[in-house]
Every structure is written in structure tokens, then in C-alpha cells.
Amino acid sequence: MRAISIKSVEVLEEELQLHVHHTFGMEQYTDYVFKPGGGKNYSATIIMHSSDHVVSQVTEATAMFPGREFILDDLDTDSNVSTTYRLKDGEILEKKISIG
């Protein structure tokens, strides 16, 4: 299983958090945690079997929010390997893999 968490680096108003959530397509997944609130960073977590589609979908969708940076953490719960992506303007700025 994969636990995928997406966070904004900056604080976003509640309306923008909702827009980000729907633009990233997170509402499609039944197993997710998202609690919008004004004056907070956007943060959502989903659980699924494969993360490839979500990583590419979210990366592309960040282009809809020019200049804003997002962090996507992809944890493989079986092997305890975590991949962290820094995303901005539709691109992966950095990718780090952590084991254990």
C-alpha cells in the first residue's frame, strides 16, 4: 500500500485550499484525509495501491498555481521506502528517496 501526502509550502486561504484539492483530483479517492481551514497550509493524505498516476497528475496540476510550491510524500508502507517530491509550476524540482 501507498500513503501519499501532499502539502503546500505556503499558507493558503480556505477557498484556495478547496480549489487546490479539486484541481489535484484528490476528491476522487475514497480513502483520504483533508480538512480545509483558513490561514493554514493545504494538506491531504490518500491511501492506495499504486502512486504513479497520482504523482504525475499532481505534478501537472501544480502548473495551475504559478509560483506556488508543493511537497508530495509517497510512502510505500510495505517496504518503508519514502519518496519526497518538491513540485512547482508543473515540474519536479527535487526528488529524494529515504529508506527506513
Side-chain angles (χ1 to χ4, degrees):
M1 293 296 284
R2 311 297 278 216
I4 302 163
S5 296
I6 305 160
K7 299 171 268 218
S8 64
V9 172
E10 302 171 11
V11 170
L12 305 177
E13 291 302 318
E14 185 170 352
E15 185 177 313
L16 185 54
Q17 290 179 36
L18 292 167
H19 184 55
V20 165
H21 191 70
H22 290 286
T23 301
F24 286 178
M26 295 297 100
E27 80 285 353
Q28 305 175 48
Y29 303 100
T30 55
D31 295 329
Y32 72 83
V33 176
F34 168 60
K35 295 180 182 177
K40 296 182 182 177
N41 294 56
Y42 170 80
S43 179
T45 301
I46 57 176
I47 306 296
M48 57 191 341
H49 290 286
S50 174
S51 60
D52 295 339
H53 175 72
V54 172
V55 171
S56 62
Q57 176 179 316
V58 170
T59 300
E60 290 175 20
T62 61
M64 299 294 294
F65 306 97
R68 298 202 185 266
E69 187 174 325
F70 296 88
I71 305 294
L72 186 148
D73 289 315
D74 177 7
L75 173 64
D76 182 331
T77 59
D78 297 323
S79 65
N80 205 26
V81 173
S82 176
T83 306
T84 300
Y85 301 86
R86 284 184 48 233
L87 310 170
K88 185 176 182 180
D89 299 327
E91 297 182 17
I92 296 173
L93 301 177
E94 182 179 23
K95 177 180 175 180
K96 289 184 181 178
I97 298 173
S98 302
I99 301 171

